C-alpha cells in the first residue's frame, strides 16, 4: 500500500490496493443445484405467473386496488381496467426471437394484437367489437389478492392510511 503523511502531521493516511482478491461472500445467492418441480423451482429459481420478467402479483395487484370503488389509491376515481393477455407463443421464421401476435412476454406484449387493439380503442374512442370497459383476467390474480388481503399483515391496509 501507499502511505501519505504531511510534514507536521502525527497521523498518516494509508491507501491499500487489493489485487486478485475474491469479493466478499454475499449473504444471498441462487443455488442452481436445486430443482423442485412440485414448487416450480428450476435451477434455484422459482417460476410463477407473469410476463417472464415481472411476477403477476407486481403486474396486477395495484391495478386492481386502483380500480376499487372509492379507493384511497385512486382518490379521483379514474376508471382502471386490468386487461391480461394469455401468452400464446407462435414462433415465426419471418420474425425470429419474438413470440408472435399473441405473445404475453415482457417486451413482446407491445406487439400483442389484443394490446394494440385496446390502445387504439382508448386513444381514438373507436369501438369495434369490444369496448375497453371491463377487466380481462386470465390468471389467478383475484384469488391471489384475496389470499394476500386476508392475511393479518397482508395487502395495503397497513401501508397507506
Amino acid at each position: 500500500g501507499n502511505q501519505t503523511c504531511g510534514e507536521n502531521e502525527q497521523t498518516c493516511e494509508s491507501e491499500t490496493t487489493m489485487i486478485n482478491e475474491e469479493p466478499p461472500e454475499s449473504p444471498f445467492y441462487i443455488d442452481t443445484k436445486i430443482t423442485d418441480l412440485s414448487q416450480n423451482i428450476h435451477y434455484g429459481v422459482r417460476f410463477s405467473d407473469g410476463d417472464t420478467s415481472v411476477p403477476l402479483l407486481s403486474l396486477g395487484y395495484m391495478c386492481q386496488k386502483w380500480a376499487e370503488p372509492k379507493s384511497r389509491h385512486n382518490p379521483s376515481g379514474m376508471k382502471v381496467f386490468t386487461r391480461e393477455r394469455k401468452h400464446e407463443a407462435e414462433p415465426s421464421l419471418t420474425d425470429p426471437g419474438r413470440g408472435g401476435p399473441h405473445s404475453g412476454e415482457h417486451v413482446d406484449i407491445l406487439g400483442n394484437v389484443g394490446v394494440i387493439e385496446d390502445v387504439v380503442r382508448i386513444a381514438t374512442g373507436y369501438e369495434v367489437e369490444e369496448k375497453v370497459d371491463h377487466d380481462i383476467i386470465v390468471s389467478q390474480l383475484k384469488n391471489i389478492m384475496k389470499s394476500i388481503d386476508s392475511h393479518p399483515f397482508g395487502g395495503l391496509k397497513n401501508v397507506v392510511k
Side-chain angles (χ1 to χ4, degrees):
N2 300 329
Q3 284 194 340
T4 307
C5 298
E7 289 180 18
N8 296 325
E9 292 181 19
Q10 296 292 326
T11 60
C12 296
E13 292 181 22
S14 179
E15 177 187 312
T16 305
T17 306
M18 296 182 173
I19 300 173
N20 295 327
E21 288 195 25
E22 292 290 322
E25 187 173 320
S26 171
F28 306 103
Y29 67 95
I30 296 174
D31 188 346
T32 58
K33 292 178 276 204
I34 296 178
T35 294
D36 183 347
L37 300 181
S38 69
Q39 295 187 49
N40 210 14
I41 298 172
H42 303 267
Y43 302 103
V45 177
R46 184 172 185 173
F47 289 80
S48 66
D49 281 347
D51 68 1
T52 68
S53 256
V54 181
L56 171 67
L57 188 56
S58 296
L59 292 168
Y61 187 85
M62 282 310 299
C63 290
Q64 289 293 288
K65 287 299 178 185
W66 288 327
E68 291 176 354
K70 299 186 181 189
S71 167
R72 64 179 172 238
H73 311 295
N74 182 3
S76 62
M78 296 297 296
K79 291 182 181 179
V80 176
F81 302 106
T82 301
R83 311 275 287 189
E84 293 181 344
R85 301 294 174 185
K86 182 114 177 108
H87 175 62
E88 297 171 355
E90 300 173 22
S92 167
L93 292 175
T94 59
D95 196 7
R98 290 208 50 242
H102 302 287
S103 176
E105 289 188 338
H106 188 67
V107 175
D108 251 2
I109 194 77
L110 298 174
N112 181 291
V113 172
V115 171
I116 293 170
E117 288 175 348
D118 283 349
V119 169
V120 170
R121 286 183 189 116
I122 293 167
T124 64
Y126 186 71
E127 298 167 359
V128 201
E129 300 148 14
E130 178 181 343
K131 290 184 177 184
V132 184
D133 62 355
H134 62 283
D135 290 338
I136 297 176
I137 307 288
V138 297
S139 68
Q140 293 296 314
L141 179 61
K142 298 277 188 181
N143 293 333
I144 294 169
M145 289 179 61
K146 284 179 189 172
S147 174
I148 291 170
D149 289 343
S150 67
H151 189 278
F153 299 111
L156 299 174
K157 57 185 161 260
N158 294 318
V159 178
V160 179
K161 301 280 180 191

